[in-house]
């Protein structure tokens, strides 16, 4: 493998892992274009869109896995929240993937843009957080996770960034609680995509290994830093990432 590609994969993995831990998302909306663009900027061989998608799924899977181990040790971690919403997302994403063939690309992108815009608007709604996790209704968590999963499955992209504004506004959770649990939910929702891409042969091991190393090393660091970063900073980062996702689809 070309040394420049190794450097590119390590850099992308480090950045993606850190962002995953910092704000509790998989980071695919940043990692995917980075894999397509960074190697060429360094003068290294470029990856196809299919391979970039596969490598992205591996980065998201392992960075959220690494961050999840750290998140489970935190006081804010809620197994009930994770299993209900995560379970709903997995089922929804499978259903959404099956529906995807019924729609054309323009319709799919339009739906995703609308959902992303709603998520972005939710980030600017000020809601007083509560900490009574016992108020959660499992059925509502599953239904919300299912809807997010369906959208994610239809568009073929991660929906983890949608989880954050939903948990902040709909369930009125503190930012630290949201970040801690959303990264575990993101891990659960990433399992299917990673397995499918691996079976399809879109994850070259020699490239993925360096991407994964960087991600797994820096996701826990990002999570630790995130617990000390003001809520407004974390919300700003999430808002920027959502805006980037919208811009990618529009242009």
């Amino acid at each position: 493998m070309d040394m420049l590609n190794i450097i590119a994969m390590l850099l992308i993995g480090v950045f993606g892992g850190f962002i995953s831990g910092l704000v509790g998302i998989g980071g695919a909306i940043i990692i995917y274009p980075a894999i397509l663009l960074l190697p060429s900027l360094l003068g290294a061989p470029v990856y196809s869109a299919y391979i970039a998608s596969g490598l992205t799924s591996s980065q998201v899977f392992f960075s959220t896995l690494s961050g999840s181990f750290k998140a489970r040790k935190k006081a804010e971690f809620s197994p009930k929240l994770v299993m209900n919403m995560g379970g709903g997302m997995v089922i929804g994403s499978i259903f959404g993937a099956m529906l995807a063939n019924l729609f054309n690309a323009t319709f799919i992108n339009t739906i995703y843009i609308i959902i992303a815009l709603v998520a972005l608007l939710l980030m600017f709604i000020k809601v007083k957080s509560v900490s009574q996790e016992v108020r959660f209704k499992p059925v509502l968590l599953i239904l919300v996770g299912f809807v997010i999963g369906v959208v994610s499955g239809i568009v073929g992209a991660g929906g983890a960034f949608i989880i954050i504004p939903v948990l902040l506004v709909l369930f009125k959770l503190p930012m630290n609680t949201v970040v801690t649990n959303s990264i575990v939910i993101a891990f659960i929702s990433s399992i299917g995509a990673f397995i499918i891409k691996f079976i399809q042969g879109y994850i070259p091991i020699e490239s993925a290994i360096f991407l994964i190393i960087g991600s797994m090393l820096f996701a826990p660091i990002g999570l630790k830093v995130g617990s000390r970063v003001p809520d407004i900073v974390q919300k700003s980062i999430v808002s920027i990432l959502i805006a980037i996702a919208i811009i990618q689809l529009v242009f």
Side-chain angles (χ1 to χ4, degrees), residues 6-19:
I6 292 176
I7 295 173
M9 290 299 101
L10 280 173
L11 290 175
I12 295 171
V14 166
F15 178 71
F18 183 78
I19 290 296

Side-chain angles (χ1 to χ4, degrees), residues 29-138:
I29 55 178
I30 296 296
I31 298 305
Y32 177 74
I35 292 175
L36 288 174
L37 297 174
L38 188 58
S40 62
L41 293 177
L42 294 176
V46 298
Y47 294 95
S48 69
Y50 293 106
I51 298 299
S53 176
L55 287 171
T56 298
S57 72
S58 69
Q59 185 278 329
V60 171
F61 176 83
F62 283 99
S63 65
T64 53
L65 171 63
S66 178
S68 294
F69 284 118
K70 190 78 173 179
R72 288 180 67 253
K73 299 177 182 178
K74 289 181 169 287
E76 297 89 351
F77 176 69
S78 170
K80 179 173 154 184
L81 169 61
V82 167
M83 294 309 297
N84 284 310
M85 181 167 273
M89 281 192 70
V90 170
I91 297 172
S93 63
I94 294 173
F95 184 66
M98 293 171 62
L99 289 176
N101 292 331
L102 302 177
F103 309 113
N104 59 41
T106 301
F107 177 80
I108 291 174
N109 283 346
T110 301
I111 293 297
Y112 196 63
I113 290 170
I114 292 172
I115 296 298
L117 282 172
V118 171
L120 186 59
L121 291 174
L122 288 176
M123 292 301 297
F124 293 95
I125 297 177
K126 292 184 178 180
V127 178
K128 185 177 180 180
S129 63
V130 296
S131 58
Q132 287 85 350
E133 190 268 335
V134 291
R135 293 183 180 179
F136 291 167
K137 296 180 179 180

